[in-house]
Each structure stands twice: as C-alpha cells, then as structure tokens.
Amino acid sequence: MPTTSSPKLKSKFLRPEIIAKISRMNFAGRKISEGTVAGSHSSPFKGCSSEFSSFRPYVQGDDTRHLDWKVYARCERFYVRQFEQETNMRSCLVLDRSESMNFASGAMSKYDYARIIASTLAYLITKRGDSMAFSAVSSGLDEYFPPSRSAGNLVNVLNAIASIEPSGSTSLAPAMDIIGAKIKRKTLIILISDMLTGSEEIIRSIRTFIKQKHNFMVLQVIDPAEGELPEGGKFTFVDSETRERVTINSRRSADSYRRQFGDFVSGIENSLKNCGCGYFRFSVSPHPEDEIPEGLFKAGFSFI
Amino acid sequence: MSFAAFAFGGLRFLRPGFLYFLPLALLPALIHLLSRKKAVIYIFPSVRLLKKDALSRTTDFNLLSILLLIIRMLALSLLVFYFAGPSFVFGKKELAAGGTAVFADYSYSMNRVSGASPLWEDARAVAGELVRALAEEKPSVFVFNNGFSFQGRGEEGIKALAEKKNPTAASVNFTEGLSKFLEQNTDIKRVFVISDFAPSSFAGEVVAPADAQVLCLSLGDKAVNYFIRSCSIYDRHITVFPMLLPVGRAEYSISAKSGAERINAIAASGQSAAITVPEEYSSGRIEIDNADALPEDNVFFYSRPDREKTPLPVLRGGGGMLDRDGTYYIRKIVEQSSLFSAEVLSEPFVFGEKLTSARAAVISNPASVSSSLAAQLRGWVAKGGLLIMFPGGDTIVDDMNRDISDLLPGRMYPVKEQSLAGGAVLEIPWAGDEFSGEHYAKLSVSKFFPLRAREDALELIKSGGETLAAAVRFGDGAVILFALPADMSFSNLPVVAGFPPFFLKSLEYFVYERKEFRRNYSVGDRVSLPAGASLSFEGREIEIRPGPDAALLSAPLEEPGLYEVSGSADGKIAVNLVRGAENDLSVMSPSEIKRIFPGSALFKIRNPEAEVAHILRGKNMSAAALLLFIMLLCTETALAYKLNHS
C-alpha cells in the first residue's frame, strides 16, 4: 500500500493533513461498481465471497464445493450456495486543465486547488485498492492514464497532475466522448473543472454517461472572485482562453453580473443533480485541508 | 452695426460677437475625450457572462452616450445662439433697391404711457433705431396726424423728431394719404408705420405698389379706456358724458379741478353726470377720477363772467290786446331769462329814447316805421344793436319796404294764405348745433308774409321752401326779421319748441357773447379774439394774425388746456380734444390692421432697441433658442440619470 511518506509519492499537491482526514473515506455510489477483482465495493456478479446471496438448483458443471449439503439433507435436492462477489471500483479522474483554471484571485489558483483534489482522490482510490484512470482535458483529451490499481500508476498520475500545466480552451464534451469510448465497464467518473464551458453540451454528455450506468461526479472549482466583478469602474476583461476582450463598467454591471453568475452556477448544479450526477462546488480558499474532505463527503464519499 | 448683419443664409444675429463663443460647444466632447479613462486590463476566466453588459457591445449605451454628447453640444450652441440674438428670415425676399420711409404717428393718443414711457417717445426711439440701422439708405422721416409732414432724411429727421413737442393734434384718416404717397413716390420700396393703430387714424385700405413693402410697428398694449366722450356746459353746471369701458363699470366719480385744487367731486353712475362748478371758479377741468389713461385726457371748462341784466324795449305797433301783437309771448319768453327784462312800449319816441340804453330791441306788428325812428334805428343798429322785427296784421309791407329797406334782410310781400307745416332750421352761427329740425317739427303756419331774402342776408328758418326768418348784418349790429307775427294769429310760432330758446340765444349772443369772444375751442381750431387781445398758453405767446371783420385769429391750437386771453379782453379759453376720437384709446386688432394694410408685416414693439433689429433681420429666434436650450437641458438630465442608473 503506498504511503505519503514514500519517496515515490512525493507531491506538493498531496497534502498529509488532507490524507489524514480522508483515509477512511469510501465512495458510496448509487450504482454498483463493476470491478475486475474482489474488493470493498459490492459487485453485481455472484462469486467467491463471504457474503451469502441465495440458493439455486445445481446444474451440471457447477463446482461441487458450493453444494449445500444441509439443504440436500432436508429436501434431497442439490442446491448450490451463491455468494455476493465483492469487487474493486473502477474510477476515472478527469482534470480540466484549460487556461481558465489558471485564474487566481489569491495565492492559489483554481487549477492548483483542483490538483490537490485530484491528487487526494487518486491516492484515496488507489489506497482502497480500486483501479483508477486519469485524464487531463482541455479542448480534447490531452493526457490519459489507463485504469490501474498499482502503486506505480498512482505515482505516475501524481507526477502527471503535478507536471501538467493549464493551457488551451475548455471544450469538455468532445474530451468526455473520447473518455467514454475508452471506458468499457461501469466506472466512477470524477470531473474536476470550473465548468466554464458550454454547459448544455457537457451536461448532455454527462447524461449519456449516466444512462450507461456509470457513476458521475462533478467537482466544480471556482474562485470567489469569479462571482464578483472587481470594483473601480471601467475594465477590459480578457478571456483567459480565447483572449476575447470585453470592456464593461463594473460599477454599472456588478449587480447584473452577480445575478447572472449565480444563475449560471445554480443552473449547472440543478441540471447535474437532476440527472443523477454527484456535485459539489469548491470555492478556492487558502485552507483546502478543511474544505476538501468536507466537500468530498458532501459529494458522495462516505467514511467506512 | 449695419443692416448687413452677420448672417448664415436666412439666419442672422443681432450680436454676432457672441458667436466667437461657439467653440464652447465642443467643450463636452473635449471633456469626454480628456476624461476618457483607459480601461484596466483584467484577465478573467471567461467573459461569456460579461458580454451582455459590455460597453463596446451595448448599442443602447453607446447610442445614449453619443446622444448625450450631442445634446450637450447642441445645448451649449443654443445658449450661445441665444446670446447672439438669432433671427430668421422666413422666405422673405430681399427688397429691391429703393428708398425707405418712416412714418411716426404724431396724434394725441400717442401721449399714452405704456410701460415706462409715452408711446410718442417709443415711436421716436423706434424711428431712431430704424434710421440708425438703415443709415446707408438715409430713410425719409415723416410724422402723421391730420396729414403728414416730412421731417428730414436720416439723422436729420430723427433730430427733428426729437425736437417736436408732445403730440396734440387729432389724427384723421392716414390710409388714403399713405396710398397717394406710395403712388407718387415709386422709389420708396419700404415703409415703416409706427403707431398705436387707433381706429380713428385709419380707414379703408392702403394701396401699395407690388414691389413696396409696408411694415406696421405697433406700439403699446391695450389700455384702460375710460374717458370723457363729451361735455355740455350750462353756466356753472357741466354735464359730463363719460365713455366707460368695459360696460360693466357703471359707477365712477368725477372731479372738477382748478389747477391742482379739487373744487368739486361727485359720485355718479349711468351714462351721464352733472357737476356744479362753484361761482368763484371760472375755469378748470373735469376728469374721471383715477381712470384717465392720458394725462391730459380731460375736459377743460370755462364759465362765462357775470353779466348785467339788460333791458329789452319792445315796441308794439297797432293797438288792441297785448296778445294780438305777440308782446305777451315775448314777455313770457324773456321772463325765463335772468339777463333781460322786457319793457313793452307803445310810443315810438319813447322806444327811440330807450334804445340808447338797450343793446337789443323788438318791434312787433308795426304798421310802418317813421322816418325819425328809422334814423334812430339805423344809428343804433350800426353801433351794435340787435333789432328783432315781427310783422303783424297791421303791418303795411309797402311802407316797410320803402322806409327801412336797408335795415331789412329782405323784401316783404303782402300776406299770403298758405298752409305750411314743420320747419327747417338752417345754420345759425351764434347757436352752434343747439337747434335741429325737431325743434320746429310742430310748426303750423296758415298765412305769412312772403320774404325774399337779400343776397347778403342769412336765412334762419324755412318751411315749405318759404323763408320764415332771415338776418342781416348792419354796421356792428344785426336785424332779424320774421315773416310771421309773434302771436298766434298766423301760426303757432310762439309755442313751437324751438322758438323761445332761439329767441333767447339770439339775444344772448348779440348782446353778450359776440362782444365777449368765444371761450370753448377744440385742438386744431383758430381762436377768434377782439382787436388788441393776446393769447398765451402756459406762459407761451400764441401767434395771432389779423382776421376778417377787424378781429384777430390765432394759429391753430395744438394742445388742450386753458389758454389765457389778455389785452383788450381777458379771461380763459378752454381748448379740448375732439371728443370720441383721440382720447379713445381702443386699438385695432392685428386682423384689422392687416385688413387696412394688406400684405404688410405687423410687429408688436415692446423693446424698441432690441426688436427693431430683429424686425430688420427677420423673425426673432432668441426665445425659441432659449426654450430649446431648456428642453435639451431637461433631456440631458434625464438621459444622464438613465445612463448612470441603468
């Protein structure tokens, strides 16, 4: 089992104080994971496990070890004892690395904050013995690490998270389509993004994932300054991704923008929740060690 | 500044110097450019949500900003225009080269004070402004009242106007004169008529050549218009007929004043009032208290000096009852007068003696006149006596025609029986207009002595083409001969309404008034004075020239008031305005003025200095510029508020 003290897992985005808080956390997804190895997540497949599931009549070819002799003694018929198979969870971390994530009103940018979340989740998933894929997306799929439960994968993912810098514009939907093509089994997809993209497209894409029985979780990261316009009057706002320039009088448009931004964010939240997607909005703060565990818990991770 | 003022096409400016401030209109644009802050560049995650409020993309905002800027610039421009005094010539053709004439109303009504000064002063100011503005053309300056007179060209005319006294003359119809003037002076292409446009001054229509322009400059506003229309003086009782406008003003008070002293005052109502002048005052004036708009619009009165009672010898011819020869009626008529005492005499020699102390005498029903009496009569009448003769049933006309034909105003014929009804009173110089046809309407004659008046005689009363009374001058005196007896035998003459007052008036005039001189005149009249008399007004001598009959005639009187007579006669003469005309301050409406001056331009002048310039330059647009400026200011405030709070 990897540890933070291991030299290989050294990453500035993997914070021990957060790890300490979430080490007993597991994801209680609404849909059952479809893993490949026995693990801590219930699997729809019946198999070897200590958890009894049901009886069924013996058929030729069944392992005789599973015959329940006590039932046979009572009713002189062969029944095979079935057990619930415990499986591991397939996860896919998707990190939005678009330029908009680089925005920082304080010491920490949204991207750094997202990297902390991603690193923490990568560690948590791997620690639980689940396989984890990782992808960094912007306008397409920029980086992809196939699912693996090995410690080496975790190290690679953590290194990738630490090394990949934000660039490009956000176009999540095409990237998610590519990821969807790569995922063969039911997977918990965790998208960490500011969601400043065409919300309808990404929500449609997420809805498609959910219809395919995948678990989907969106962890939206926004900067507190994004919801308010700077004070002072006339500003030319330059879009960090498209370099488009918009000049406004912040004094005149402050209320209007605040209202629009609130509507935009709540619109995304409602849309996601309505289609069965887990959602939590992180607001970048200088104390992620408090807010990330709490946010993850609220997003659907539970302590076991 | 000349007429060729600073102009942009039809737009002209009274004070073009202010246009140098026009660049101030660029101030808002300048401030806008200078205060334009460079926007702070701010890298933002996404501008998707900002696009809606973007200044560069908000069409409304940009439009409003530009509109606001334009409005501010326009407002400042209008403010500059306002001070520059804009005026606009609306399609007015430039006048062809030609002269200009300025006619200033010089009638009495121009004395009215409207605003701060009398209208006449305003008229002079307007004329002055016109002449100065059109200095290059040297306009001809005229004044008009009862006719018009040339005052001079250019500044010379204005100088003449300045030297003129306040107007006193009544105006008569000016329109006909102006039409003739324009017809005869074809080089005059522009005529300015400066007047209060009182109806009495204008009648008919001014006919102006097609290429001449008449500009009417109206002075003064509608005024309080109470005045004394006419006045009748009966010794010390003066009946006043005021013109009270509006009609609802029924109560008023009248004062009689001698100088500044109020000698009597009465409250009155209705269409007339009588006020008594105390005996000690022989002259003064009557005025409606606090109502006369014109300072001299009041009635100057005179009262005659005390007269001594005069005996009137009446010689009755024939014999019989007194009532047969008419002396009864004569006595009854004379009894009504306090000035005469009739003394009926039957003896011609006694009558002849009485003549020496009498100034008038009556002979009624004489059969004939003896040669001695005839001689006495000739001498007496020639010295100024008035002889009134009534024939009668005893009269022998042939003897009369033979013996005193030179005394009689005509030849008498024997009695003719012919019915005559009604009578016409001809012009009687000493009675004025006191008698009319109505006074003899009930005259009924059955027979009379036909009378053929002499050429130098004055026919007094006629009926059915027949002369019933005639008068002739004889020396300093006069003889009045009736064709009817003074009794009721031939006619009802003694009881006809007009006869007694005519008889008494004739006596009064020849005995008193003719020697006293007339004391009641109107402005414009010439005063007739006895030889050796002089006339003055307010210390100024009035020019007097020899007149007919050894009398003196003054120059036409120009001002109303009390004139002083001195020298061989003394006393005061009241000179009043022609009533019902000049002191009627009603003015014509613009439509009435336009009707009299068809095709003319009418301007109401309140501030001569400022408005004359605008008249010459077109329509005054200052008020419009100011109004527009205020409207733009309001719009600017509303827009600015909207921009700052949207």
Side-chain angles (χ1 to χ4, degrees), chain B residues 243-255:
Chain B
M243 179 69 82
L244 296 170
L245 298 174
V247 178
R249 189 184 170 95
E251 293 183 0
Y252 52 94
S253 65
I254 290 175
S255 292

PDB file of all heavy atoms in Angstrom, chain B residues 243-255:
ATOM      1  N   MET B 243     -67.201 107.924 -21.382  1.00  0.00           N
ATOM      2  CA  MET B 243     -67.179 106.646 -22.098  1.00  0.00           C
ATOM      3  C   MET B 243     -66.591 105.648 -21.116  1.00  0.00           C
ATOM      4  O   MET B 243     -65.423 105.735 -20.753  1.00  0.00           O
ATOM      5  CB  MET B 243     -66.272 106.759 -23.338  1.00  0.00           C
ATOM      6  CG  MET B 243     -66.174 105.468 -24.132  1.00  0.00           C
ATOM      7  SD  MET B 243     -67.711 105.048 -24.947  1.00  0.00           S
ATOM      8  CE  MET B 243     -67.608 106.067 -26.406  1.00  0.00           C
ATOM      9  N   LEU B 244     -67.418 104.774 -20.669  1.00  0.00           N
ATOM     10  CA  LEU B 244     -66.989 103.842 -19.636  1.00  0.00           C
ATOM     11  C   LEU B 244     -66.844 102.465 -20.235  1.00  0.00           C
ATOM     12  O   LEU B 244     -67.808 101.841 -20.629  1.00  0.00           O
ATOM     13  CB  LEU B 244     -67.988 103.816 -18.485  1.00  0.00           C
ATOM     14  CG  LEU B 244     -68.105 105.133 -17.731  1.00  0.00           C
ATOM     15  CD1 LEU B 244     -69.267 105.087 -16.789  1.00  0.00           C
ATOM     16  CD2 LEU B 244     -66.831 105.399 -16.970  1.00  0.00           C
ATOM     17  N   LEU B 245     -65.630 102.055 -20.319  1.00  0.00           N
ATOM     18  CA  LEU B 245     -65.374 100.720 -20.834  1.00  0.00           C
ATOM     19  C   LEU B 245     -64.569  99.982 -19.796  1.00  0.00           C
ATOM     20  O   LEU B 245     -63.668 100.549 -19.225  1.00  0.00           O
ATOM     21  CB  LEU B 245     -64.595 100.781 -22.141  1.00  0.00           C
ATOM     22  CG  LEU B 245     -65.310 101.492 -23.283  1.00  0.00           C
ATOM     23  CD1 LEU B 245     -64.363 101.616 -24.464  1.00  0.00           C
ATOM     24  CD2 LEU B 245     -66.544 100.728 -23.696  1.00  0.00           C
ATOM     25  N   PRO B 246     -64.830  98.768 -19.534  1.00  0.00           N
ATOM     26  CA  PRO B 246     -65.909  97.973 -20.104  1.00  0.00           C
ATOM     27  C   PRO B 246     -67.278  98.442 -19.610  1.00  0.00           C
ATOM     28  O   PRO B 246     -67.371  99.194 -18.646  1.00  0.00           O
ATOM     29  CB  PRO B 246     -65.596  96.567 -19.613  1.00  0.00           C
ATOM     30  CG  PRO B 246     -64.823  96.770 -18.373  1.00  0.00           C
ATOM     31  CD  PRO B 246     -64.050  98.024 -18.562  1.00  0.00           C
ATOM     32  N   VAL B 247     -68.263  97.911 -20.254  1.00  0.00           N
ATOM     33  CA  VAL B 247     -69.620  98.389 -19.994  1.00  0.00           C
ATOM     34  C   VAL B 247     -70.020  98.186 -18.541  1.00  0.00           C
ATOM     35  O   VAL B 247     -70.737  98.984 -17.958  1.00  0.00           O
ATOM     36  CB  VAL B 247     -70.616  97.654 -20.925  1.00  0.00           C
ATOM     37  CG1 VAL B 247     -72.042  98.092 -20.639  1.00  0.00           C
ATOM     38  CG2 VAL B 247     -70.251  97.924 -22.372  1.00  0.00           C
ATOM     39  N   GLY B 248     -69.500  97.129 -17.949  1.00  0.00           N
ATOM     40  CA  GLY B 248     -69.896  96.799 -16.576  1.00  0.00           C
ATOM     41  C   GLY B 248     -69.496  97.850 -15.558  1.00  0.00           C
ATOM     42  O   GLY B 248     -70.024  97.886 -14.446  1.00  0.00           O
ATOM     43  N   ARG B 249     -68.585  98.739 -15.924  1.00  0.00           N
ATOM     44  CA  ARG B 249     -68.139  99.735 -14.951  1.00  0.00           C
ATOM     45  C   ARG B 249     -69.156 100.875 -14.921  1.00  0.00           C
ATOM     46  O   ARG B 249     -69.081 101.851 -15.667  1.00  0.00           O
ATOM     47  CB  ARG B 249     -66.765 100.275 -15.343  1.00  0.00           C
ATOM     48  CG  ARG B 249     -66.151 101.145 -14.279  1.00  0.00           C
ATOM     49  CD  ARG B 249     -64.841 101.716 -14.794  1.00  0.00           C
ATOM     50  NE  ARG B 249     -64.345 102.731 -13.886  1.00  0.00           N
ATOM     51  CZ  ARG B 249     -63.475 102.524 -12.925  1.00  0.00           C
ATOM     52  NH1 ARG B 249     -63.028 101.314 -12.753  1.00  0.00           N
ATOM     53  NH2 ARG B 249     -63.079 103.508 -12.158  1.00  0.00           N
ATOM     54  N   ALA B 250     -70.127 100.749 -14.078  1.00  0.00           N
ATOM     55  CA  ALA B 250     -71.245 101.689 -14.072  1.00  0.00           C
ATOM     56  C   ALA B 250     -71.035 102.809 -13.067  1.00  0.00           C
ATOM     57  O   ALA B 250     -71.616 103.863 -13.176  1.00  0.00           O
ATOM     58  CB  ALA B 250     -72.539 100.966 -13.784  1.00  0.00           C
ATOM     59  N   GLU B 251     -70.207 102.566 -12.069  1.00  0.00           N
ATOM     60  CA  GLU B 251     -70.029 103.590 -11.041  1.00  0.00           C
ATOM     61  C   GLU B 251     -68.677 104.268 -11.219  1.00  0.00           C
ATOM     62  O   GLU B 251     -67.676 103.616 -11.482  1.00  0.00           O
ATOM     63  CB  GLU B 251     -70.107 102.960  -9.647  1.00  0.00           C
ATOM     64  CG  GLU B 251     -71.503 102.448  -9.346  1.00  0.00           C
ATOM     65  CD  GLU B 251     -71.596 101.902  -7.939  1.00  0.00           C
ATOM     66  OE1 GLU B 251     -70.578 101.932  -7.235  1.00  0.00           O
ATOM     67  OE2 GLU B 251     -72.671 101.443  -7.568  1.00  0.00           O
ATOM     68  N   TYR B 252     -68.683 105.547 -11.072  1.00  0.00           N
ATOM     69  CA  TYR B 252     -67.450 106.288 -11.246  1.00  0.00           C
ATOM     70  C   TYR B 252     -67.576 107.584 -10.465  1.00  0.00           C
ATOM     71  O   TYR B 252     -68.660 107.927  -9.965  1.00  0.00           O
ATOM     72  CB  TYR B 252     -67.185 106.563 -12.723  1.00  0.00           C
ATOM     73  CG  TYR B 252     -68.338 107.207 -13.447  1.00  0.00           C
ATOM     74  CD1 TYR B 252     -68.424 108.579 -13.586  1.00  0.00           C
ATOM     75  CD2 TYR B 252     -69.348 106.413 -13.990  1.00  0.00           C
ATOM     76  CE1 TYR B 252     -69.491 109.161 -14.258  1.00  0.00           C
ATOM     77  CE2 TYR B 252     -70.417 106.985 -14.649  1.00  0.00           C
ATOM     78  CZ  TYR B 252     -70.494 108.362 -14.785  1.00  0.00           C
ATOM     79  OH  TYR B 252     -71.547 108.907 -15.418  1.00  0.00           O
ATOM     80  N   SER B 253     -66.503 108.294 -10.380  1.00  0.00           N
ATOM     81  CA  SER B 253     -66.574 109.597  -9.733  1.00  0.00           C
ATOM     82  C   SER B 253     -65.914 110.627 -10.637  1.00  0.00           C
ATOM     83  O   SER B 253     -64.992 110.318 -11.392  1.00  0.00           O
ATOM     84  CB  SER B 253     -65.895 109.559  -8.367  1.00  0.00           C
ATOM     85  OG  SER B 253     -64.533 109.312  -8.518  1.00  0.00           O
ATOM     86  N   ILE B 254     -66.443 111.808 -10.543  1.00  0.00           N
ATOM     87  CA  ILE B 254     -65.965 112.891 -11.396  1.00  0.00           C
ATOM     88  C   ILE B 254     -65.506 114.038 -10.507  1.00  0.00           C
ATOM     89  O   ILE B 254     -66.147 114.345  -9.492  1.00  0.00           O
ATOM     90  CB  ILE B 254     -67.095 113.352 -12.340  1.00  0.00           C
ATOM     91  CG1 ILE B 254     -67.352 112.265 -13.372  1.00  0.00           C
ATOM     92  CG2 ILE B 254     -66.747 114.669 -13.008  1.00  0.00           C
ATOM     93  CD1 ILE B 254     -68.519 112.557 -14.262  1.00  0.00           C
ATOM     94  N   SER B 255     -64.426 114.625 -10.882  1.00  0.00           N
ATOM     95  CA  SER B 255     -63.923 115.767 -10.122  1.00  0.00           C
ATOM     96  C   SER B 255     -63.795 116.974 -11.030  1.00  0.00           C
ATOM     97  O   SER B 255     -63.465 116.841 -12.206  1.00  0.00           O
ATOM     98  CB  SER B 255     -62.548 115.457  -9.528  1.00  0.00           C
ATOM     99  OG  SER B 255     -62.675 114.470  -8.546  1.00  0.00           O
TER     100      SER B 255
END
